Amino acid sequence: MKKKESIMTQTIENPTITLPQEADTLIKKAFQKRKKVKKLVTLKPKNNKKLDWLNEI
Amino acid sequence: MRYKFFSLNELLEFSSKSQIKKLVKTFKCQKNADLELFLHQKAIIFEKKGRSRTYLYIDTKAKKIIAYFTISISSLNIENFSTKTISYLYGQNNVNSKCLPCYLIGQLGKSDNCNLKIGNQLLKKSISIIIKGHNILNGRFILLDSLNNDKIIKFYQNNGFIPIENVKKEKEVIKMIYWLL
């Protein structure tokens, strides 16, 4: 018997993700608290020695 | 080192398809049948068709996949969203499009026989790979499907994801967002 695909597989299969109307409000809230949540991976390095020359401008 | 990460793409490039098919079948997950089904039936096809990238955590001694995740580029339908929400998602609200680009973590999980606590490591690895793409291409957010289960949602929340669907509803899966801003 063929197993039923779940929403997760469907999300990868479909080129577009559609969210329910409630997401509109929840995305706004999520955006507002984006800086308060702990990030797992640092997005930007703290310093970049390659750019030391810029300080001399 | 006994446990190693490999990209499925890398394995397909340097091994035969039949070997890789045997390898993916070593992944068993009865708790989440879809996780198993995707790896067994879709991951290789999607890799070859350029639809997603799958990364495997392999026990090289037992020659078994103990965990994996799949990431891809997707798009979010914004037709029903307010201009404010669109501006948060895109950086401006005058968008001449019905969709916005995003990164997607489509699958992420470990096998039944894996006793290692590698959830954080696995999620961190998947975000690190997306961030490599983000550093080159930019982008504003990652979406992820979480099973609507308190423990799993909490795990993602502790790692920077925020639910964007009502968790109280009787839904199998909840979408969550991770801002790359």
Side-chain angles (χ1 to χ4, degrees):
Chain A
M1 195 178 79
K2 199 180 177 222
K3 289 178 192 170
K4 186 183 167 278
E5 279 176 8
S6 83
I7 294 167
M8 291 180 186
T9 294
Q10 287 169 26
T11 306
I12 305 174
E13 287 211 317
N14 296 332
T16 303
I17 296 164
T18 302
L19 291 166
Q21 188 61 47
E22 72 200 28
D24 189 76
T25 309
L26 292 169
I27 290 168
K28 279 184 216 155
K29 285 183 185 167
F31 185 81
Q32 280 149 7
K33 63 176 178 183
R34 74 192 187 283
K35 286 184 177 164
K36 291 174 196 153
V37 296
K38 186 190 134 206
K39 286 282 166 69
L40 196 58
V41 183
T42 309
L43 288 172
K44 289 173 191 165
K46 283 187 183 146
N47 57 46
N48 186 343
K49 288 195 173 172
K50 271 201 300 186
L51 298 180
D52 282 352
W53 58 271
L54 258 176
N55 297 328
E56 289 159 26
I57 287 180
Chain B
M1 214 160 63
R2 182 170 172 174
Y3 305 103
K4 285 182 182 172
F5 262 112
F6 293 92
S7 77
L8 181 58
N9 178 46
E10 176 189 6
L11 294 175
L12 285 165
E13 224 168 276
F14 296 102
S15 316
S16 71
K17 199 174 166 182
S18 60
Q19 271 178 312
I20 304 304
K21 275 187 173 175
K22 273 187 207 167
L23 178 69
V24 296
K25 297 275 183 193
T26 64
F27 182 86
K28 304 284 176 201
C29 187
Q30 290 196 333
K31 282 183 213 158
N32 183 352
D34 184 60
L35 196 67
E36 183 183 300
L37 185 76
F38 181 84
L39 189 60
H40 289 191
Q41 296 184 7
K42 308 262 179 181
I44 295 173
I45 299 168
F46 277 32
E47 197 74 40
K48 292 205 172 250
K49 288 188 175 176
R51 304 258 299 270
S52 64
R53 286 271 186 236
T54 295
Y55 294 83
L56 311 165
Y57 197 40
I58 298 177
D59 178 343
T60 55
K61 196 175 171 191
K63 296 179 177 60
K64 282 181 179 174
I65 296 168
I66 56 166
Y68 85 92
F69 59 83
T70 297
I71 54 177
S72 72
I73 295 166
S74 190
S75 64
L76 177 64
N77 185 339
I78 53 162
E79 281 177 292
N80 298 320
F81 289 165
S82 63
T83 50
K84 193 78 185 165
T85 300
I86 292 169
S87 72
Y88 288 159
L89 291 167
Y90 196 58
Q92 62 184 63
N93 56 21
N94 53 336
V95 184
N96 187 20
S97 172
K98 290 174 182 172
C99 296
L100 294 179
C102 64
Y103 299 100
L104 172 73
I105 298 176
Q107 302 279 7
L108 186 142
K110 60 181 191 175
S111 71
D112 292 333
N113 55 10
C114 176
N115 299 320
L116 303 170
K117 292 199 168 185
I118 52 167
N120 274 320
Q121 193 190 343
L122 209 60
L123 188 58
K124 192 172 177 180
K125 186 80 178 172
S126 66
I127 295 171
S128 300
I129 291 169
I130 290 175
I131 284 174
K132 279 184 190 169
H134 173 260
N135 286 337
I136 297 165
L137 302 165
N138 227 334
R140 290 174 69 88
F141 59 97
I142 303 170
L143 291 180
L144 169 143
D145 278 326
S146 166
L147 288 175
N148 191 3
N149 165 311
D150 290 348
K151 197 178 157 194
I152 297 173
I153 290 172
K154 192 83 191 155
F155 162 73
Y156 287 124
Q157 279 180 318
N158 289 340
N159 289 306
F161 285 83
I162 305 168
I164 51 170
E165 282 187 81
N166 198 339
V167 292
K168 286 171 190 162
K169 286 188 179 170
E170 293 303 313
K171 284 179 185 166
E172 183 194 352
V173 162
I174 295 294
K175 292 268 185 313
M176 299 184 83
I177 196 164
Y178 185 98
W179 295 101
L180 294 165
L181 302 165

